[in-house]
Amino acid sequence: MTAKVLFTGKTHNTNGKNAAAHSSDGFLDLKLPAPHPEAENLFGAAWSACYMGALELAATQKKVKLPPEVAIDAEINLNHDASSGFFLTARLDVSLPGLDRRVAEELIHAAHGICPYSKATHGNIAVETNLV
């Protein structure tokens, strides 16, 4: 079975005095001052946006109506230690106000199994997910 490409994101990054990132569709047009903390911010924004869609799909599959105030705060940490070098850790704080806690936790767990970013990071970085 061949996978169908649903979307392709294309970016062009430059370094130096005028460091920047641009997407081919013109949506992103960012200056990237050294040491590029935007990389962690962009990863957090992309992951949480994808995770939001995964939550919506999980809720649809489980026939749960999501509250309109769903929110995700993503924190991506760039870490360094002598033995491992550079590595990432992440925390996703998920707000599902008004949902039963058990149902909300089931949706959060299911979303990790759906979200491509969660799948890509699974077993590769420490991820903490909190229902807030």
Side-chain angles (χ1 to χ4, degrees):
M1 184 170 161
T2 303
K4 178 182 177 184
V5 175
L6 300 177
F7 181 81
T8 300
K10 294 181 181 180
T11 58
H12 177 75
N13 288 16
T14 56
N15 199 10
K17 182 178 162 187
N18 296 314
H22 307 278
S23 62
S24 62
D25 63 3
F27 184 75
L28 290 177
D29 187 11
L30 305 168
K31 293 180 189 235
L32 296 173
H36 306 299
E38 285 79 2
E40 288 73 30
N41 290 334
L42 289 169
F43 185 58
W47 189 354
S48 59
C50 181
Y51 192 84
M52 183 77 71
L55 275 173
E56 291 168 355
L57 181 56
T60 299
Q61 291 173 343
K62 294 181 180 290
K63 297 179 178 22
V64 173
K65 183 170 175 22
L66 285 179
E69 306 85 17
V70 174
I72 301 168
D73 292 318
E75 182 177 298
I76 309 298
N77 300 302
L78 175 61
N79 306 282
H80 181 268
D81 72 25
S83 63
S84 301
F86 294 101
F87 62 98
L88 298 174
T89 57
R91 185 177 75 226
L92 301 177
D93 290 335
V94 182
S95 175
L96 296 166
L99 280 186
D100 175 78
R101 183 163 193 86
R102 183 189 55 77
V103 171
E105 289 173 349
E106 285 177 11
L107 291 177
I108 287 170
H109 179 73
H112 276 300
I114 296 169
C115 175
Y117 283 79
S118 293
K119 289 178 183 181
T121 59
H122 183 77
N124 296 313
I125 70 172
V127 179
E128 177 186 333
T129 307
N130 302 305
L131 178 61
V132 295

